[in-house]
Amino acid sequence: MNYISNQFNIHYLPEYNLLVKAGFQKDVLAVVDKKSVAPILIEYPSEEPILDATRIMSLPFRFVRVVIPHQTFTFVPKEFFQRDKIEQYVQFLGTSDVENTFVYILDNLNLVAIYQFDGLLLNRWKRLFPDAVILPEFAVVLDRAQERVSIRGNVLGLHFGSENTVDFYLFKNGVFQIYNSFEIHNLDDISYYLLNMLAQFNLGDTIHKALLSGEIPNTSYYSRISAYAGDIEVLDLKTKVVLADREIESNLAPYNVLFDSILCE
């Protein structure tokens, strides 16, 4: 999508938020005002930014948020986490790169996420926006999903990210169990990992509810997932963002991580 409204006013730049969802193949950027109105929404190849995207990113926005896919991560119960022992946690990430190791506190889950980004991708965006808030994609996904999780039953989430990656996460009777990322290239891959999760956590033949988010390839994925779930919900936008030109019809649900990142600390 390449949408730039005539209602975008550069004189109001301090009132806008610049939001970016970064990837290895595709980037998405949006400009949103304080009333959740988006005058700009642009997608472009990561390595070949279109001129409109370059122009927008060259503007001196005061508020910038960039969501970057995590490379490796682990979770630690909040009561056991010690920030001064970060070197000990890094070994669980399979690297010794403390400089590229970050912490995100998931208060509602009583967990601390310790994670790393791809170094080249991270440095690229830090050079562009040194003062930006940079968030791991899983933080936004879990933040939005928790309000759809009940204290009874099993909820399996599938977040369709970029580059054929799908994040699977599970809540069992309201308790967080796992979050993991897998490469998905077809429907059979979806079935394989769904069945694996059902078996690994003794969930029986089906789960009570599946939560879907991100850029779902096509409707056949809904059909395949519904064979393993009693109910399917698509995570919509909590921010209720609308395009500045209301007459333009657009489904913004696939961009929920991009727009809802503004709600994460």
Side-chain angles (χ1 to χ4, degrees):
M1 185 176 206
N2 190 350
Y3 165 74
I4 301 180
S5 172
N6 291 329
Q7 297 184 46
F8 176 65
N9 191 333
I10 196 171
H11 298 293
Y12 296 152
L13 206 61
E15 304 298 317
Y16 290 123
N17 286 278
L18 174 63
L19 308 177
V20 179
K21 185 176 181 295
F24 297 98
Q25 297 178 12
K26 182 181 75 172
D27 296 334
V28 187
L29 68 83
V31 175
V32 183
D33 68 15
K34 292 184 176 180
K35 296 181 179 179
S36 296
V37 175
I40 293 175
L41 178 60
I42 301 175
E43 298 182 53
Y44 57 90
S46 299
E47 299 300 325
E48 299 178 7
I50 61 177
L51 184 58
D52 285 338
T54 302
R55 286 173 173 169
I56 295 301
M57 289 189 292
S58 68
L59 297 175
F61 286 93
R62 181 181 299 176
F63 306 107
V64 180
R65 283 175 176 258
V66 182
V67 179
I68 299 180
H70 51 272
Q71 185 176 51
T72 58
F73 63 97
T74 189
F75 295 98
V76 177
K78 189 175 177 181
E79 60 266 31
F80 299 121
F81 174 70
Q82 300 179 58
R83 190 175 291 270
D84 59 346
K85 301 290 181 61
I86 196 71
E87 293 85 357
Q88 297 181 15
Y89 301 116
V90 170
Q91 62 182 315
F92 296 103
L93 303 179
T95 76
S96 58
D97 188 4
V98 178
E99 293 293 322
N100 182 28
T101 302
F102 305 93
V103 169
Y104 188 88
I105 299 174
L106 298 153
D107 283 317
N108 291 340
L109 298 178
N110 200 32
L111 292 172
V112 175
I114 304 165
Y115 60 94
Q116 294 176 339
F117 296 120
D118 176 84
L120 293 176
L121 189 61
L122 175 64
N123 290 333
R124 171 181 153 208
W125 289 100
K126 288 179 71 174
R127 284 195 301 269
L128 284 170
F129 303 108
D131 299 321
V133 174
I134 295 179
L135 292 165
E137 192 162 348
F138 70 80
V140 188
V141 173
L142 284 175
D143 187 66
R144 297 281 64 81
Q146 289 176 60
E147 60 194 39
R148 302 291 188 92
V149 175
S150 61
I151 60 173
R152 291 188 179 182
N154 307 315
V155 178
L156 179 64
L158 292 87
H159 173 70
F160 289 77
S162 54
E163 290 83 50
N164 300 312
T165 298
V166 178
D167 293 351
F168 287 70
Y169 56 93
L170 175 68
F171 287 85
K172 192 173 182 179
N173 294 323
V175 180
F176 177 71
Q177 302 292 315
I178 191 173
Y179 193 111
N180 213 339
S181 304
F182 303 102
E183 277 195 26
I184 299 292
H185 297 281
N186 53 53
L187 292 174
D188 289 338
D189 289 341
I190 284 284
S191 293
Y192 173 81
Y193 288 114
L194 278 169
L195 289 169
N196 185 274
M197 296 283 278
L198 290 172
Q200 183 179 354
F201 291 92
N202 299 313
L203 302 179
D205 295 328
T206 61
I207 53 174
H208 295 101
K209 180 165 66 176
L211 288 179
L212 307 186
S213 59
E215 300 182 55
I216 304 166
N218 54 61
T219 55
S220 62
Y221 281 78
Y222 292 93
S223 301
R224 180 61 63 91
I225 295 167
S226 67
Y228 304 95
D231 186 27
I232 291 183
E233 291 185 19
V234 177
L235 286 175
D236 53 7
L237 291 170
K238 188 170 184 178
T239 45
K240 306 302 180 186
V241 172
V242 295
L243 297 181
D245 300 292
R246 306 295 178 95
E247 67 275 11
I248 297 179
E249 293 186 9
S250 181
N251 176 23
L252 299 182
Y255 306 104
N256 70 314
V257 165
L258 173 74
F259 289 118
D260 286 343
S261 65
I262 201 169
L263 301 174
C264 292
E265 297 298 331

